[in-house]
Amino acid sequence: GAGPMISFVRRAIARLNDPRDRQAIVFVASCLLLADFALSSLIVAKVPYTEIDWTAYMEEVHGYISGERNYENLGGGTGPLVYPAGFVYVYSALYWLVGGLVRGTSAAGIGVAQRVFVLVYIANQAAVFAVYAACEVIPPWAFAVLCASKRMHSVFVLRMFNDGVAMALAYCAVALYQRRRWTLGSIVLSLGISVKMNVLLMMPGLLVLLVGGTSVGKSMQALGALVATQIVLGAPFLLTYPKEYVSRAFELGRVFSHKWTVNFKFVPEDVFVSGAFAKYLLLGHLFVLLALAHQKWCRHYGGFFFAFVRNFFKRALSGNLDGVQDTYTPAHVALVLFESNFVGIVFARSLHYQFYSWYYHTLPLLLWSANRVPVVAKLAILVIIEWCWNVYPSTPTSSGIFVAVHLVALVFVCAGYADKQASKKKSS
C-alpha cells in the first residue's frame, strides 16, 4: 500500500522542484490565484479600513471631473496632485464606479472600490505569474512566495494605492517584452508610467534591451510609441495648461519627509534632506547601472563599453535595420528590467510603505538567478525584507537592517551571472 503512495509523493516533489515543468506551474499558479482571491476577499471583508490616500485621490479627480484642467488647482487633503494623467483617468473611472466623492468616501463606496482592487491585485498576480512561467528560473513551489506578503495585500486591497495599478501594468509590459512585442509593450509600460512615475526605474534596462536586441527601426518605433502614449494621455492638460501639467506631474526633485522613510531612518534628518545626500545616491545609482550594463546585460556583445555602443552605431550607419537577431531569452529580458528597477530601489532617497509594491514581485527572480546562494538564504532574505516593511513606524535599527539586506541582495544579483556563465562554459 505505501509503495505507490511514496513514489507518487516523490514524483510530485520532483515536479514541484522543476522550473521547466509548465504543467506544474500552470497547476500551482491557478491554485494560488484562486486561494489568493479568496484570501484577499476575506481581508476586505474582515480587516477594518484605515484612511491614507483614497479620499485625497477622490478629491483630486473630483476637480478634474468638475472641469478643472489646470494641474496647479488639482489637489486633495494630502496636498497637490503629483501624478500624470493616467492616474487621473484610472481614479476617475473608480470615482464614477463608486458614485462620486461623497458616496465614494463612505463605507459603502470604499467597500466597492476595495473589491475592484481585489481584481487589480489578482490581475497583477496573473501578469507576474506569466512573466515567471516564461523565465523558467524559479521552481513551481516558489510561486507561493509571490503571494506571501502581508504588506502587499494591504497596499493593493486595503489602501488602494496607485502604485498597485502602475505595477500591474508594468508586469504586463514585461510579459509582452519577453514575447518580443516591443511596441505594444512600450505602450503598456507608458500607461504604467502615467499612473505612477516609479515605473521609469525600468527604463535604463529597457533602453539596453531595445538598442541591443532589436533593430534601430524597431527601437525607435517602440520609444516613439512610449512617448506618443504620454502625449495622448496628457493631451487634455497639455493643450490647456502645459507648463503646470509637466511641472507638477513629472516633478523629479521632490524631497520626501524623514518621518515616513523606511530605508534611511538612521541617517540624520539634516543629511537626509540635503542636496549632497541626493547627489551621492544618484552617483551610486548610475555607477551600479553602468556596471550591470557592462558586466551582465551586454555581456554577449563583449560589454557595454564600448563594444555595445560601437555595434549600435555600426548598425545605424549601415542602415542595417532588420539584421539583428533577437538573442534574448524571456529570463534575460525580465532580469534586465527587474535589475534596472532594483538598483533604483537600493539607491532611492526615500521609500514609503506603499513603495514595497515597486519591487516585491521581482525579488524571487533576482534571488533565484543567483545559483550559488542556497534556497534557505534566499528565503531568509525575503523574510527579513518583509519584516523591515512591516515595522511601523520604521526605526534607525529597522532601516539599517533594511539597507544592509538590500546591499546583500544586490551583491547576489551582481554575482548571479558569473556562475551562469561559468557553468555554460564548462558544459560547452
Side-chain angles (χ1 to χ4, degrees):
M5 189 65 198
I6 289 168
S7 67
F8 170 76
V9 170
R10 272 204 191 122
R11 251 200 333 274
I13 289 172
R15 292 195 68 176
L16 287 175
N17 252 323
D18 178 6
R20 290 192 181 78
D21 191 331
R22 270 301 165 87
Q23 276 178 313
I25 286 174
V26 170
F27 175 73
V28 170
S30 308
C31 292
L32 286 170
L33 286 177
L34 286 169
D36 216 348
F37 179 73
L39 175 67
S40 303
S41 305
L42 192 69
I43 290 171
V44 167
K46 295 284 180 225
V47 180
Y49 169 78
T50 47
E51 172 58 44
I52 297 183
D53 280 350
W54 172 254
T55 301
Y57 290 172
M58 288 296 102
E59 289 164 355
E60 285 161 4
V61 299
H62 178 74
Y64 165 76
I65 285 166
S66 311
E68 180 61 71
R69 294 295 174 268
N70 183 346
Y71 248 66
E72 304 246 304
N73 301 334
L74 290 171
T78 54
L81 169 58
V82 291
Y83 306 118
F87 165 86
V88 176
Y89 305 139
V90 169
Y91 283 85
S92 294
L94 286 160
Y95 177 98
W96 173 82
L97 200 75
V98 295
L101 182 62
V102 178
R103 193 173 175 281
T105 49
S106 70
I110 287 165
V112 172
Q114 286 182 320
R115 288 197 285 281
V116 173
F117 267 84
V118 170
L119 300 176
V120 172
Y121 174 68
I122 295 302
N124 178 80
Q125 297 303 93
V128 169
F129 288 167
V131 169
Y132 273 77
C135 287
E136 300 184 342
V137 170
I138 79 165
W141 68 264
F143 276 63
V145 172
L146 295 162
C147 307
S149 168
K150 178 186 166 198
R151 176 65 66 192
M152 215 40 52
H153 286 86
S154 155
V155 166
F156 274 88
V157 303
L158 284 178
R159 316 263 191 248
M160 306 176 284
F161 287 117
N162 56 331
D163 307 68
V165 180
M167 289 316 295
L169 288 163
Y171 292 124
C172 289
V174 174
L176 287 163
Y177 289 142
Q178 286 178 313
R179 289 151 185 80
R180 304 200 184 137
R181 304 291 300 277
W182 300 108
T183 303
L184 186 57
S186 297
I187 291 170
V188 176
L189 193 77
S190 200
L191 294 175
I193 292 167
S194 194
V195 175
K196 187 143 189 181
M197 292 244 291
N198 65 284
V199 178
L200 281 172
L201 292 177
M202 291 189 183
M203 279 306 289
L206 176 65
L207 289 172
V208 168
L209 288 174
L210 282 174
V211 173
T214 67
S215 62
V216 176
K218 257 194 212 156
S219 49
M220 290 304 162
Q221 194 185 333
L223 291 171
L226 196 143
V227 174
T229 304
Q230 287 305 317
I231 292 169
V232 170
L233 289 170
F237 306 101
L238 290 169
L239 294 171
T240 47
Y241 296 92
K243 195 173 125 283
E244 291 80 351
Y245 175 64
V246 174
S247 66
R248 273 285 156 86
F250 297 99
E251 186 187 357
L252 292 169
R254 268 214 323 284
V255 178
F256 290 107
S257 100
H258 187 252
K259 184 182 167 190
W260 297 118
T261 181
V262 177
N263 54 340
F264 286 125
K265 215 33 169 303
F266 62 89
V267 174
E269 185 157 2
D270 53 330
V271 177
F272 178 82
V273 296
S274 70
F277 184 58
K279 209 157 43 203
Y280 285 123
L281 285 172
L282 185 63
L283 285 172
H285 187 170
L286 292 174
F287 174 76
V288 176
L289 279 176
L290 288 170
L292 279 172
H294 185 63
Q295 280 295 327
K296 292 180 71 171
W297 302 346
C298 309
R299 218 182 163 116
H300 56 289
Y301 275 110
F304 186 76
F305 305 105
F306 285 91
F308 177 84
V309 182
R310 233 186 2 247
N311 183 308
F312 172 71
F313 283 110
K314 202 162 75 196
R315 282 179 6 228
L317 293 172
S318 66
N320 174 4
L321 294 187
D322 308 300
V324 191
Q325 192 45 51
D326 287 9
T327 50
Y328 291 163
T329 63
H332 177 75
V333 170
L335 270 170
V336 169
L337 294 167
F338 287 3
E339 284 164 3
S340 174
N341 185 56
F342 185 66
V343 176
I345 300 289
V346 174
F347 290 97
R349 185 170 180 177
S350 183
L351 296 170
H352 296 180
Y353 285 95
Q354 65 272 35
F355 300 0
Y356 190 18
S357 61
W358 297 1
Y359 74 109
Y360 168 74
H361 295 97
T362 70
L363 286 168
L365 186 67
L366 296 173
L367 292 171
W368 258 265
S369 298
N371 294 351
R372 281 191 228 144
V373 180
V375 170
V376 181
K378 292 169 183 170
L379 292 172
I381 287 177
L382 291 169
V383 168
I384 295 167
I385 290 175
E386 177 74 18
W387 173 81
C388 292
W389 282 103
N390 282 288
V391 175
Y392 176 82
S394 64
T395 63
T397 309
S398 75
S399 68
I401 293 171
F402 182 98
V403 170
V405 73
H406 282 75
L407 288 173
V408 169
L410 186 64
V411 169
F412 286 170
V413 163
C414 294
Y417 266 121
D419 29 282
K420 269 219 179 73
Q421 300 296 330
S423 63
K424 259 191 203 137
K425 281 199 185 90
K426 267 184 214 135
S427 61
S428 59

